[in-house]
Amino acid sequence: MVFIRKLGLLLAAASILSLTTVVDAAACKYNDGLECPQETPCCSAHGHCGNSPLACGVGCDASGSFHGRCERFTIDENIYNGKPRPVPSLPKGAFKTVGLTGVAAQHIALVTPTKMLIIDKAENNPAKLPSGKAAYNVEYDLNTNKFRVLDVQTNTFCSGGGFLPNGTLISAGGAESRLSHSFTTETGFQSLRMWNPCDDESCHWIESPADRNWQMTGNRWYVSVTTMSTGELFILGGSNESLAINRYATNNPTWEIYPKGKPAVDYQPNFMQFMVDALPHNLYPNVYSLPDGNLYIFANQKSIIFNVKENKVIKQLPDIPGGPRSYPLTGSHVLLPLDPAKNYAHEILVCGGSEAMSTRAKALQTCGRINLNDADPQWEMDMMPSPRLMGDAVILADGKIMLLNGCKTGYAGFLRGNDPVFTPVIYDPAASLGQRFTEWVPSNIARMYHSVAMLLPDGSVFVTGSNQNSEVRMENVPFPTEYRVESFTPPYLTTDLARPEIVSTVPEKLAYGQKFEVTIDVKATDRYEPDMTFMLGRKGFVTHSTHMSQRMTKLVATQVKQTGTSITYTVEAPPNANLMPPGPHYFHALNNGVPTHAEHLLLN
């Protein structure tokens, strides 16, 4: 009996060992032939390891999951990279109303460290020109929260924009001419406008609608503009007229370059089949430059790698699951911060959208992330805490992504969105799948269609806009035209760690690969050992949830010396223009995630 009992135990143990071997041998599809690790234990229906309700829910493959179970894993959020985090007094941040824009904010561009251009369509805004007509462009002073009214000849409605290497802003496209007793504007469909930044309020729009050099090759309403590694602007797509959704008859499936490089009379646009294939959701396509000089282009659910010199598609990428995520089913798009330690891997994050063109349609709750450095790039799916349509994705100073603004039902367009989303969500690209989202404090202002947001040099976030109405409406509508400006203070500006300060001069102009020394006063070293990170960010041009040319990269840095709380580092600029195209950038230094005030520079 004893022998039989021992034999039974041995057989049971062998059976358990055999079972364990089978489970360990199982693989999650995109996890390098291994089962999922404990931190991201669930093998999702899409074949990625994660720790979210989406990954561990319907379709989860238990055989490829950690220990053969689709169960979530909890972590200690007070520890990061094995070290304690600085403790914020406002752990979820804070919104504060600071000013008024004077014109509805459909587009914004930070043109100097203290000046924001705010651009609207021609409509009856409260800000007035000397003639008494309503203005639709202003320059907003971030120090005083006052605005200066600007005059512009052509309609800037639904235009795009990009910066040249010298910091000049080019505004491209727009809408039809309008004439009323309140406002007047010429057609802007083909217009190009120039803004040379200044700090003394002497600058104004430069435009010449009758000059063909100041016109594009065709009408472009809802056009995307991207600064390429050459410093030229890549101008893509749009519609021939103002409409609710694009169609074959109105589609402009072409691209062109600014500056043209040849006489305007001889310049011809280039056809792109992708902009036909992506119909009808192909307006404001998302475009990012890549390390090899090619471009990544996303519209609808589709994306490609495109070679501009050859006018050729290099690679067709998989469609993102879950439905269209471009105007008017508008999602949030962002190129995640680059990291030299990861060979500058270019990863795209796309969140939200809407399931259909209906005012009752539900916004999408899923996000897709794709690593373009992979040999076979695939979308890794995740889920936000709540659905979101027409949201903005802002890269914060610490490299996290703030998703804010938007609504939960409907689609983009006048009186088409409902159920505003007041609560911003933070996405941590460095966290494990399923552990990346955190909700912060909500605003009390609905930011719906035509709202915008941008990171400022002081580390706060500029938030304004929202006009669901075809004209200015202040009463008797569900969501009145919104002119209030909010400043959002992220938690990293409220911690028990003193805010560091750049106490040396940062070069006003920086060459690729150039090394320079910078000294940081970390203020104190008693509570937290200094841990510096250096980032270089580009703000871009923002409109309709599209942050044109927004990007950020970590910089390689080496400590040189320390005297008290002042520490000197040698910092190296990005190695080439493919990683960070030339033009205006902001240099951020962070100690344990707490940022200095950023310094403006031109990278060329």
Side-chain angles (χ1 to χ4, degrees):
M1 290 291 294
V2 174
F3 172 77
I4 294 173
R5 182 179 179 187
K6 287 184 176 180
L7 179 61
L9 290 172
L10 288 171
L11 290 172
S15 175
I16 292 172
L17 180 62
S18 174
L19 178 61
T20 302
T21 302
V22 170
V23 171
D24 288 345
C28 196
K29 184 175 180 181
Y30 297 113
N31 193 41
D32 298 325
L34 303 172
E35 75 166 20
C36 293
Q38 185 177 14
E39 293 76 13
T40 52
C42 300
C43 183
S44 74
H46 300 285
H48 295 281
C49 296
N51 193 37
S52 66
L54 179 66
C56 300
V58 177
C60 175
D61 179 7
S63 66
S65 299
F66 182 72
H67 281 187
R69 296 191 296 271
C70 290
E71 296 179 0
R72 298 190 68 192
F73 174 67
T74 57
I75 60 172
D76 185 353
E77 295 184 355
N78 295 318
I79 303 295
Y80 185 70
N81 286 340
K83 298 189 299 183
R85 300 173 185 262
V87 181
S89 60
L90 298 172
K92 294 186 177 181
F95 282 96
K96 179 182 179 182
T97 301
V98 295
L100 298 171
T101 57
V103 301
Q106 291 188 10
H107 324 65
I108 56 173
L110 186 65
V111 289
T112 79
T114 62
K115 306 289 187 183
M116 183 78 77
L117 278 189
I118 299 177
I119 302 170
D120 188 17
K121 68 171 183 174
E123 58 182 332
N124 192 21
N125 286 302
K128 305 300 181 186
L129 294 162
S131 64
K133 296 278 189 178
Y136 54 101
N137 279 227
V138 299
E139 180 188 63
Y140 186 92
D141 190 304
L142 298 169
N143 289 332
T144 65
N145 291 304
K146 305 295 183 182
F147 60 81
R148 175 171 68 100
V149 173
L150 304 173
D151 196 2
V152 62
Q153 292 176 258
T154 54
N155 196 352
T156 47
F157 184 30
C158 298
S159 53
F163 286 90
L164 297 175
N166 66 353
T168 293
L169 172 71
I170 298 296
S171 166
E176 65 277 354
S177 61
R178 303 191 74 191
L179 176 64
S180 78
H181 69 280
S182 300
F183 53 86
T184 301
T185 184
E186 298 177 32
T187 182
F189 281 120
Q190 290 185 243
S191 294
L192 292 167
R193 314 163 195 90
M194 177 181 289
W195 182 271
N196 292 317
C198 66
D199 286 315
D200 60 2
E201 299 191 349
S202 63
C203 41
H204 296 275
W205 283 110
I206 301 170
E207 54 182 336
S208 181
D211 186 342
R212 292 192 64 176
N213 286 300
W214 286 91
Q215 294 179 358
M216 293 179 290
T217 56
N219 289 1
R220 295 191 186 274
W221 188 77
Y222 277 91
V223 59
S224 284
V225 181
T226 303
T227 304
M228 300 192 298
S229 59
T230 59
E232 300 165 300
L233 299 183
F234 180 79
I235 300 173
L236 175 64
S239 170
N240 290 318
E241 61 184 57
S242 302
L243 38 68
I245 188 169
N246 210 2
R247 58 189 188 274
Y248 188 84
T250 59
N251 190 30
N252 185 345
T254 67
W255 60 270
E256 57 187 284
I257 299 295
Y258 179 86
K260 294 181 173 68
K262 60 175 66 176
V265 67
D266 299 325
Y267 190 86
Q268 297 297 319
N270 300 272
F271 174 75
M272 183 184 287
Q273 180 63 40
F274 174 79
M275 295 302 292
V276 176
D277 298 339
L279 281 168
H281 307 292
N282 69 347
L283 298 177
Y284 278 142
N286 293 88
V287 186
Y288 306 99
S289 65
L290 299 177
D292 58 4
N294 292 320
L295 298 178
Y296 170 86
I297 303 175
F298 181 105
N300 200 325
Q301 292 177 260
K302 303 178 180 299
S303 53
I304 57 172
I305 308 298
F306 184 75
N307 185 293
V308 175
K309 289 183 179 179
E310 299 181 11
N311 191 24
K312 181 171 117 178
V313 175
I314 301 300
K315 180 182 287 189
Q316 186 86 38
L317 297 164
D319 288 2
I320 188 172
R325 300 172 190 263
S326 296
Y327 184 89
L329 310 184
T330 311
S332 308
H333 301 248
V334 66
L335 170 66
L336 296 179
L338 309 179
D339 188 345
K342 297 180 180 179
N343 196 30
Y344 298 101
H346 278 51
E347 296 185 85
I348 310 296
L349 178 70
V350 181
C351 289
S354 185
E355 61 185 12
M357 279 191 66
S358 165
T359 55
R360 297 182 180 180
K362 295 179 180 179
L364 302 179
Q365 194 168 349
T366 55
C367 292
R369 176 171 168 174
I370 190 168
N371 188 339
L372 303 180
N373 281 33
D374 288 346
D376 181 24
Q378 298 291 327
W379 289 101
E380 174 190 79
M381 302 306 294
D382 206 345
M383 186 175 287
M384 297 181 286
S386 63
R388 192 180 300 264
L389 161 72
M390 297 185 292
D392 284 277
V394 176
I395 306 176
L396 299 178
D398 61 0
K400 295 183 177 65
I401 311 301
M402 185 177 185
L403 301 169
L404 71 165
N405 300 338
C407 57
K408 294 181 181 179
T409 57
Y411 63 99
F414 295 127
L415 300 175
R416 298 292 186 256
N418 301 286
D419 303 319
V421 182
F422 294 100
T423 303
V425 170
I426 303 308
Y427 179 90
D428 185 352
S432 300
L433 180 64
Q435 299 169 351
R436 294 170 179 160
F437 290 104
T438 303
E439 290 186 300
W440 280 356
V441 68
S443 170
N444 60 8
I445 300 176
R447 301 289 186 187
M448 308 278 279
Y449 189 46
H450 292 150
S451 56
V452 289
M454 181 182 288
L455 176 71
L456 296 182
D458 67 359
S460 67
V461 179
F462 180 90
V463 187
T464 191
S466 188
N467 189 11
Q468 288 260 99
N469 312 292
S470 59
E471 302 293 343
V472 173
R473 296 286 185 271
M474 302 306 296
E475 55 187 22
N476 300 322
V477 289
F479 301 101
T481 306
E482 185 60 67
Y483 294 99
R484 286 173 290 179
V485 177
E486 287 178 290
S487 173
F488 180 81
T489 301
Y492 58 50
L493 295 180
T494 71
T495 73
D496 58 348
L497 176 61
R499 189 171 185 183
E501 181 183 357
I502 299 174
V503 294
S504 61
T505 301
V506 173
E508 294 181 2
K509 295 183 178 180
L510 197 61
Y512 290 99
Q514 178 182 338
K515 295 181 180 180
F516 64 98
E517 285 195 353
V518 60
T519 301
I520 310 297
D521 186 354
V522 297
K523 306 295 185 180
T525 59
D526 55 338
R527 183 171 297 182
Y528 300 98
E529 181 180 348
D531 184 6
M532 295 300 303
T533 303
F534 298 93
M535 311 284 280
L536 191 67
R538 187 185 187 105
K539 311 302 179 188
F541 181 94
V542 181
T543 184
H544 292 74
S545 305
T546 307
H547 291 240
M548 302 177 192
S549 299
Q550 178 189 214
R551 56 201 295 137
M552 183 177 282
T553 185
K554 288 184 178 180
L555 300 175
V556 175
T558 306
Q559 182 174 328
V560 176
K561 63 180 180 180
Q562 180 172 354
T563 304
T565 59
S566 292
I567 310 175
T568 300
Y569 296 84
T570 297
V571 182
E572 186 172 343
N576 60 65
N578 291 335
L579 300 175
M580 297 294 284
H585 291 74
Y586 287 83
F587 174 73
H588 302 260
L590 303 96
N591 180 21
N592 285 284
V594 178
T596 63
H597 193 287
E599 295 288 335
H600 174 268
L601 59 85
L602 289 177
L603 179 65
N604 283 288

